[in-house]
Amino acid sequence: MARWMALCTLAFAAVPARARSISITDFDAAIAVDMAGLLDVTETIRLRFDGQWNGIYRLVPEEYRDSHGAVYRLRIVVREVTDTRGSALRWSRTREGVHAALKIHVPGAADAERTITIHYTVARGLRFFPDHDELYWNVTGDEWPYPIAAARARITLPGQLVNLRANGFTGSEGSRERAVTITIDGAAHTPDDAFAPDAEAPPAVTGNHVVEVTATRALGIREGLTAAVAWNPGVIRRPTLLATWWAWLVDNVGSLGTGLILVGAPIVALVGMLLRWLAVGRDPRTGPVVVQYEPPIGLGPAEVGTLVDNRPDPRDLMAMIVDCAVKGVVRVRETAPAGWLTQAAYAFDLMLPESAWPDLPAGERALLRALFPAGTTAAPGSGQPVASVTTASLTDSFHVHLPGIRDTIFDTLVKGGHYRQRPDHVRDAYVGSAVVAAVVVGMAAVGLNRVAGRLPFDMVVGFAILSAIVTAVIIAGFGLVMPSRTAKGATARAAILGFEEFLTRVEAHRLASLPLTPELFERYLPYAMALGVEGRWAKAFEGICSAPPSWYAGTGPVTNFQPGAFTQQLGQMGTVTGAAMQSAPRSSSGSAFGGAVGDGGDECVRAGRPGDLAIEGPRAVEDPDALRFHRGPNFGDRSVRGADDDEVRSGGGGHGLVAAALQVHLVGANEADDGRKKLRKRHSKRHL
């Protein structure tokens, strides 16, 4: 505000040749009040210019606050600005804070005296109270940056007014000084008795009432003269209630609009997004989940895992590799066991050229093309790998293929009629909309308040930021759960959940027509991995599977094969391979399959099922002595127990990395039993 005050009558100079100054030698205001309450104001201002000047600014107070803090604005219309000869002067009008700013060009304003006359009308210049009407007029304004030698006001009012009283004030804003003389219809009064009952003037005999208020001293910089005149109500026509309310609304529409934006934007976002979610964000109803004994036809492990939670996860990537291995396309080899401070290493051999691949899902084909882009190294049918790749070679290079694999999985589900739109595109659209909405809300609130509102700037900025953040969080939050499946997709998901129930509780749902065989274990193992239930699936085959699959080769001999320990080994493979696939140089962006791969040996179930294990991703083991296991020669040599007291084993050579990935801290052999009892399992998968 101080910056705008400084502009009050700030004279704009052309040449700063020598010391210059401006002073007002006389300020005379003639104010006429008519029966409709309209003011007609003529200001005659005589100025002394020392040095060369171009003109002055005249700031007319235009805006006030009522007792409730609401804006009360005068309606000022400038009729003309002239010199002493009546010639029009060039002027322009702007708004400076609570003032109407008139920029007036004064010709010949160089070491001279000049007189200017400003003629304007004012609506809403009177104030109306239950027991009286009042004119309270800031005659000169109190923002002049130079002194006023003499100031007076001559106020003409209708003669029918009764009990006229007057008062006057001088000094800076808020001053109660009354260095004035007052005359009412020619009778002189001191400020002390101007409002006394003896000073009340009867109706004028002829003509109008005339009140004169004159300052008895010169006014200094930013000092002014104010005149107050009151009379009994009933003569001046008061505005109607409708007109008063309309004027109030117009005066405060900017502040009201700003407040409405600040408060209403989050509410509108919440209601709008809730209605939107109810309309398009929910899956069609499918009825109760029924146990299924096979996955939905036409969906591979990655599609199954993605359809369950609308996201392709790192475990889906590993499930695709194992599915390709089960189908004889890929062989998995452990090339180096894990040590205390080193992780295991793996190689993947392509056993069939692309022309001989079986009917693989599109996502698995995209994965194989990304894994083996270099061509063949052996002839097909020779029993030797067609191509090979190691986890070390995938580091910092394979991540560029992950977005394409993710796109293929999503596109397959969209083309198959399971989604109308890709879930990631839906989420991204809402997150982008949230950012746009936050910017719009913030700019709209601040901009409207600046143009038409009168709320404190700092307060508006603070609330605008808060409102924008809340609005964006609401939109983005709903956007994360907005992806929905089609009727076909919802039906397929229900079937997948039924199949997951079978994989999780094989013993309870086994059929005579579906014997548990090593072939069945391998066939559905990729789906169990994609659904995070490979540990429970493997438990059902203890004592049934006595040898590892032909498509997996470890680094040592196997004398006591256990399926549970084998899935632990696959989990270790997934952790190492997933980390290598997702690793990127520092300058690269994040992976499209962000997060960690489960260890594969424990009972990690999607969707927060009871008994889930929290997996937080691979971490380097900083203190090997803090992770101690009972070591043995073969599969099943290290074990911990879960919440259901189900023994979960990990294969040989992977103790350091598996323990770090699972965040299992077993200190000392004597503490192992306590660690087993206290270990609780929760699901904590990371997504894209």
Side-chain angles (χ1 to χ4, degrees), residues 254-491:
S255 298
L256 290 174
T258 301
L260 185 62
I261 292 174
L262 296 178
V263 177
I267 296 176
V268 171
L270 178 61
V271 174
M273 292 303 297
L274 179 59
L275 295 176
R276 177 75 176 169
W277 178 78
L278 292 173
V280 301
R282 298 185 297 173
D283 291 348
R285 294 183 180 274
T286 58
V289 173
V290 180
V291 176
Q292 303 290 325
Y293 297 95
E294 60 182 3
I297 298 175
L299 295 181
E303 289 75 21
V304 164
T306 300
L307 194 59
V308 167
D309 60 4
N310 294 328
R311 302 170 188 269
D313 301 303
R315 65 169 65 250
D316 300 329
L317 202 63
M318 297 306 105
M320 286 195 291
I321 293 178
V322 173
D323 192 47
C324 290
V326 170
K327 294 174 180 176
V329 180
V330 172
R331 182 174 62 190
V332 181
R333 288 186 292 114
E334 182 185 28
T335 58
W340 287 112
L341 296 176
T342 59
Q343 62 183 10
Y346 295 87
F348 302 96
D349 300 330
L350 180 64
M351 306 305 295
L352 297 175
E354 184 172 356
S355 59
W357 289 352
D359 187 18
L360 298 178
E364 293 182 5
R365 288 179 173 271
L367 173 62
L368 292 177
R369 293 189 187 102
L371 279 174
F372 306 103
T376 62
T377 58
S382 65
Q384 298 299 315
V386 174
S388 296
V389 66
T390 64
T391 51
S393 66
L394 300 177
T395 302
D396 292 345
S397 60
F398 189 83
H399 69 280
V400 299
H401 300 288
L402 293 178
I405 298 173
R406 176 200 60 194
D407 293 345
T408 301
I409 296 173
F410 273 136
D411 292 343
T412 298
L413 292 171
V414 172
K415 292 177 181 177
H418 298 89
Y419 293 106
R420 280 182 292 271
Q421 291 179 285
R422 286 177 44 168
D424 58 334
H425 288 178
V426 174
R427 286 189 292 265
D428 291 345
Y430 280 102
V431 171
S433 299
V435 174
V436 173
V439 173
V440 170
V441 168
M443 293 184 64
V446 174
L448 179 60
N449 187 69
R450 185 177 182 86
V451 173
R454 295 296 176 265
L455 298 176
F457 179 77
D458 293 342
M459 182 188 76
V460 171
V461 170
F463 277 101
I465 293 174
L466 178 62
S467 180
I469 291 175
V470 173
T471 301
V473 169
I474 291 172
I475 296 175
F478 270 96
L480 295 179
V481 297
M482 196 64 74
S484 61
R485 304 164 186 84
T486 62
K488 180 179 179 180
T491 302

Side-chain angles (χ1 to χ4, degrees), residues 33-37 126 128 132-133 157-164 203 209 231-238:
V33 181
D34 65 14
M35 295 293 288
L126 301 182
F128 300 97
H132 70 281
D133 301 341
L157 304 108
Q160 298 92 324
L161 299 182
V162 178
N163 290 341
L164 218 61
H209 288 293
W231 57 89
N232 286 2
V235 178
I236 301 295
R237 186 166 62 249
R238 294 190 172 196

Side-chain angles (χ1 to χ4, degrees), residues 560-586:
N560 182 25
F561 177 77
Q562 296 181 12
F566 176 65
T567 57
Q568 285 277 3
Q569 198 76 348
L570 290 181
Q572 176 181 273
M573 180 271 293
T575 300
V576 174
T577 305
M581 286 181 168
Q582 297 176 71
S583 66
R586 289 181 178 271

Side-chain angles (χ1 to χ4, degrees), residues 85-143:
R85 298 188 300 272
S87 300
L89 298 179
R90 189 170 74 250
W91 62 278
S92 61
R93 176 177 175 173
T94 57
R95 185 180 182 83
E96 303 290 354
V98 299
H99 298 86
L102 305 181
K103 180 179 179 181
I104 303 171
H105 180 74
V106 181
D111 296 322
E113 286 192 356
R114 291 292 182 266
T115 300
I116 62 174
T117 301
I118 306 172
H119 179 209
Y120 57 92
T121 58
V122 181
R124 305 191 76 211
L126 301 182
R127 302 195 296 179
F128 300 97
F129 300 92
D131 60 345
H132 70 281
D133 301 341
E134 180 180 283
L135 169 65
Y136 191 90
W137 189 250
N138 190 336
V139 178
T140 61
D142 48 22
E143 304 297 337

